[in-house]
Amino acid sequence: MDPLAQLNDIHLPENIHSYPIAPGWWLLVALILALIIYGSVKLRQYITKRKNQKSALKQLSPNADVGTVVTLLKWAALQYFPRQTVANLTGEHFKSFLTSTLPAKYQADFSKLSADYFTSAYQHQSSSKASAEFHQAAKLWLNHALPPQKNVLSTLTPMPEQADLTSKNNTISSASSSPQLTERNGVKS
């Protein structure tokens, strides 16, 4: 008898299943998902921050008058900076605020381009059209000061007039909110 005839056919092992996936692959999938979520959140924040800036740049037209350009700059500043810092600024105070919020390398250019337009915006005899220089100054500020960096926001302090008004308002409101009764000679007042 032939010993080879007694051998059975070769049995192949069963296919190896790919499930359950090794823990390393799960960690990789979780890391990729976390990066995608983080990236989409940051992209949305970036788009949201730039939305008002783009809107202001669209509204800035070269043939606008000085008052319109100053109003547009004030609106844009109010979108990014605290209201109590910006709301009551006019003329040179507003110009100095805008200059201080620009990066240092653009401040001289902005001051030169904007010249006396901020004070003339509130005068009765002001020129009706803003010059190309003032338009460039507004565009420069909108492009380079918005959205503000965190270090710019932390250095902002209310103007002295604002601090005086705020302290007066706080004094008045605290006095009116908690009336104190004093007794003199048996009479409450």
Side-chain angles (χ1 to χ4, degrees), residues 169-180:
N169 288 341
N170 288 341
T171 306
I172 292 169
S173 65
S174 65
S176 64
S177 64
S178 60
Q180 298 289 328

Side-chain angles (χ1 to χ4, degrees), residues 75-150:
W75 174 84
L78 284 170
Q79 302 306 309
Y80 291 98
F81 297 101
R83 184 169 197 78
Q84 66 271 17
T85 304
V86 179
N88 64 347
L89 296 176
T90 58
E92 284 300 316
H93 292 293
F94 186 52
K95 179 182 176 181
S96 64
F97 169 79
L98 294 179
T99 305
S100 69
T101 57
L102 274 169
K105 63 183 177 180
Y106 298 111
Q107 289 180 357
D109 291 339
F110 180 78
S111 293
K112 187 179 105 182
L113 290 171
S114 61
D116 293 328
Y117 285 105
F118 284 98
T119 54
S120 69
Y122 302 103
Q123 294 175 356
H124 184 65
Q125 300 293 334
S126 67
S127 62
S128 60
K129 288 211 175 203
S131 72
E133 289 179 342
F134 189 53
H135 181 266
Q136 285 177 336
K139 194 171 185 178
L140 176 88
W141 187 80
L142 289 170
N143 282 323
H144 297 290
L146 298 181
Q149 302 298 321
K150 288 181 183 178

